[in-house]
Each structure stands twice: as structure tokens, then as C-alpha cells.
Amino acid sequence: MKYNEEIVSDCIDLLKELIATPSISKQEEETATILSRFLIQNGADINRFGNNIVVYQKNYDPQKPDIWLNSHHDTVYPNNGYTRKPFSPDIEDGKLFGLGSNDAGGCLVSLLATFLHLWKEELPFNLVFIASAEEEISGKKGMEMLVKKLKPADLAIVGEPTQMKMALAEKGLVVIDAEVTGKPGHAARDEGVNAIYLAMEDILKIRDFKFKRQSHYLGETKVSATIISAGKQHNVVPDKCTYTLDVRVTDAYTLEEAIEELQVGLHAKLTPRSLRLNSTRPLDGHPIMKAAIKCGIETFGSPTLSDQALIPFPSIKIGPGDSARSHSADEFIYIEEIEKGVLGYLLLLEKYVQLIK
């Protein structure tokens, strides 16, 4: 497939328009409309589910397997460290600045350009372009809703800034609310059981806790205490103390197994907020792995969460940009990274086609 500079240039202009339009999670209506308008202008039929945009390949054949090209168009809030205007898509020294430029606008428009290069081609599969909402908050009206509405795919290529390295697996997430129960008493007298002190014992154990099993790709499952709250009056021994745990779970554990192992020896009762965001596992033997080898793509295990956690069939995570820039002040992506991203996606799909024919 010949690289079309005009398509890529148009998609970069689209990214500028997306950056200039605030699209905080759950507030993506305007960017969904911008994406829809762009695709309609390019001859596509739009399927809109809330703020999610889905476009099918021309001459879609339901007998063929589907491959999803997915990235998200929502962003986090701009942080206080910005020295530039977060919604101003300025280009300086080959860098396109602006909130969402790196995470994940560059990936989104690179996948869209890839789709537009290939969507009229005769392929052994159907390409489905998906611009998802609510990714930054793992919301229920983003990818979770889409997997219930769309035909299962043989493969999903999830666009996140990985420097075009391929994440074979990513850590899952479970947020745990922990509650410690003591006994109230007067602070002036030696009475009661102080729930804060019990929680402190827990937190010291958690600080030094090591999960027993490790993952070949993702290393250790990690737990961090991030919030603590107790007491209402200075003169009352608190009988309740709550704290929150952020647990990044590798493919060596299910979320339930990680909670069970962590619970042992703690005073607190552990209650997970959700069991939705599981780790993803390597696709050993899948043709996309062989295609990556033929392309010379470096592989790794990702510590960060994405829509991949909500996709219940084979998936990989790969895209232009650098995860270290995500959620940072004065976020940017190099224009060259977007251009090379499109080339990288096209080559990967070309090798994939050769392997499955």
C-alpha cells in the first residue's frame, strides 16, 4: 500500500482541531462530532454510540473476521504545571503541543490514517475503526459498552503512546477500600482501641508486601496505599479508619487471587470497588506476534492501563508517542512520530496479511 501524504496531513490537521476542543472524560460530545464530520467528508458511514465512533470497512463482509483499530479521544484535566495553553495546538520545533496530543490523539489519528489507507482494499479481514470515549476513567459508556454492541474481533490493535513498541500484556487494576474497626473511647483515658494504630500496622505491612508470583512480561504485582481517613473529634479514640489501595495486577494473578493473598494478616476488611479491569495476557502463537517479529518491533509488558483491559479477545497495544509524556504538563507529540506511526501500522498489517493468507 502506497503511503498517502495527503491523508496523513489531513489527519494531523484533524488532531489540531481535536486538541483545540476540550474533551475531558464524559464530556466528549464535541470531539465525537468533529470525528464524525471528518469521516463523513471522507465518504464513511458513521455509527455513533453515545460519544463512541465506529466505522466499518467498505464492502464489509460479515463472513470475514474483524480487526479493530482503536484509540480514545477523551483526555484527563490539564494539570497545574502547564506553562502553555492546554487547548492551543501549537507546532514548534516539530512538536505538536496540547492536551491529548500524545495521549492519545497522535495514536488516534495515526490509526485513522491507517484505516483510510486500507478501508477500500480487498483484505482477508474487515477493518473496524473505533474512537472510544471514557478511556481515561475506564467508564461504562466507553469500551465496556462497545464490546456488548459489536461483533467480537479476532484482534484489536489499541493505540496508546508506546514509541511504536508492542505491549504484549498490561497490568490490570483493582482499587480496594479497606476498613479497620476499633473501639471508641475518651482520648484522655487509657480506653478504646484506636483504629488509626491498627491501620498503621496494616499500612506498614502493605509498604513491604511482596506478592508471591511474578509475571514473565510484567514483573511484580504492585500495591500502594494512597488515601487514609479516620476520626471526627480530637478527644475521641476513633473506632473506624478507612484507607484505599491501588493494586496493579499482572497476568500471574486474577484480581480475586491478588485480593485474597493481600488480605492475609491485615486488620482491615478489603472490599474491591470493581473486578472489571483485568490484566491482559500475551498472545503466544498469534499471527500478530510473528508479524511483529518480521517488522522488527520491540515487545514489552506495560505497567499502564488502557481500554485493552476491557477488551475480552486478543489485543495488542502499540502507538506513536511516549507514555512518559502522558498526563504531563505541556504535553506534546512529534509530527514525525505520527508519520512514522502510520507507516508502522501499515507495515504491521501488511505482514499480518501475508501470514494469514
Side-chain angles (χ1 to χ4, degrees):
M1 166 59 63
K2 186 177 179 181
Y3 180 80
N4 188 318
E5 292 184 1
E6 185 177 355
I7 289 175
V8 178
S9 178
D10 288 347
C11 286
I12 291 171
D13 287 340
L14 170 65
L15 176 54
K16 294 176 188 176
E17 189 175 1
L18 293 172
I19 291 169
T21 308
S23 56
I24 310 302
S25 299
K26 292 191 175 183
Q27 301 172 38
E28 314 97 336
E29 294 89 350
E30 288 189 51
T31 50
T33 298
I34 289 168
L35 284 161
S36 297
R37 183 171 63 244
F38 178 87
L39 283 157
I40 290 169
Q41 288 171 349
N42 279 273
D45 294 323
I46 301 301
N47 298 274
R48 183 164 177 169
F49 304 95
N51 292 328
N52 304 281
I53 305 301
V54 179
V55 184
Y56 293 94
Q57 184 164 354
K58 285 282 189 182
N59 303 315
Y60 180 89
D61 183 351
Q63 301 304 313
K64 291 181 180 179
D66 287 359
I67 291 183
W68 288 6
L69 304 180
N70 161 246
S71 192
H72 63 95
H73 62 105
D74 64 317
T75 71
V76 297
Y77 284 93
N79 62 57
N80 293 328
Y82 267 82
T83 65
R84 312 176 67 96
K85 294 179 180 179
F87 303 111
S88 183
D90 303 318
I91 297 179
E92 292 180 15
D93 300 323
K95 299 175 182 177
L96 173 56
F97 288 91
L99 180 66
S101 56
N102 180 76
D103 184 15
C107 300
L108 180 72
V109 300
S110 295
L111 283 169
L112 177 51
T114 301
F115 177 78
L116 292 176
H117 273 80
L118 297 174
W119 75 310
K120 296 179 182 178
E121 298 291 314
E122 184 63 34
L123 300 170
F125 46 76
N126 302 302
L127 284 178
V128 183
F129 173 75
I130 300 173
S132 54
E134 298 192 10
E135 187 274 345
E136 293 290 4
I137 58 170
S138 300
K140 293 182 179 294
K141 293 184 179 180
M143 183 55 68
E144 181 169 319
M145 178 175 71
L146 289 175
V147 296
K148 297 173 183 176
K149 291 182 175 292
L150 304 182
K151 171 187 166 186
D154 272 28
L155 175 68
I157 298 176
V158 178
E160 289 287 337
T162 67
Q163 299 177 306
M164 290 305 289
K165 300 173 185 176
M166 184 183 289
L168 303 181
E170 69 173 22
K171 288 185 177 182
L173 168 66
V174 59
V175 179
I176 297 174
D177 291 314
E179 182 175 274
V180 178
T181 301
K183 183 179 179 181
H186 198 296
R189 296 191 291 270
D190 187 18
E191 63 183 29
V193 178
N194 195 316
I196 292 177
Y197 297 156
L198 296 177
M200 287 171 60
E201 292 177 11
D202 278 5
I203 289 170
L204 287 173
K205 290 178 182 177
I206 289 163
R207 180 193 67 182
D208 300 325
F209 187 83
K210 298 290 184 184
F211 284 89
K212 296 175 184 177
R213 303 199 298 269
Q214 289 197 20
S215 162
H216 174 71
Y217 288 100
L218 297 170
E220 295 182 348
T221 292
K222 178 175 172 55
V223 56
S224 301
T226 53
I227 303 171
I228 189 166
S229 178
K232 295 181 179 178
Q233 294 179 223
H234 74 88
N235 58 352
V236 177
V237 173
D239 64 334
K240 297 287 184 186
C241 183
T242 62
Y243 57 89
T244 300
L245 301 177
D246 177 295
V247 190
R248 304 290 169 150
V249 183
T250 73
D251 56 306
Y253 288 89
T254 65
L255 300 184
E256 294 87 347
E257 289 170 341
I259 296 167
E260 183 179 356
E261 188 170 311
L262 188 59
Q263 177 70 79
V264 176
L266 296 182
H267 296 292
K269 177 184 177 182
L270 304 184
T271 303
R273 293 183 185 177
S274 167
L275 295 172
R276 299 162 55 233
L277 305 176
N278 291 285
S279 63
T280 56
R281 300 169 188 271
L283 305 180
D284 295 330
H286 195 283
I288 197 65
M289 301 288 290
K290 298 176 183 177
I293 293 170
K294 286 185 175 293
C295 294
I297 295 174
E298 183 179 340
T299 59
F300 73 108
S302 173
T304 58
L305 196 69
S306 74
D307 270 339
Q308 206 180 3
L310 295 168
I311 296 174
F313 37 79
S315 62
I316 57 168
K317 182 166 71 176
I318 182 172
D322 188 339
S323 181
R325 298 183 213 136
S326 299
H327 306 179
S328 65
D330 300 337
E331 181 182 346
F332 70 89
I333 189 167
Y334 289 98
I335 296 295
E336 183 182 40
E337 288 179 312
I338 296 172
E339 295 166 344
K340 289 183 176 179
V342 178
L343 286 168
Y345 286 136
L346 288 170
L347 180 61
L348 180 62
L349 287 168
E350 179 183 316
K351 297 300 182 186
Y352 184 79
V353 168
Q354 292 171 359
L355 285 164
I356 65 174
K357 273 191 172 179

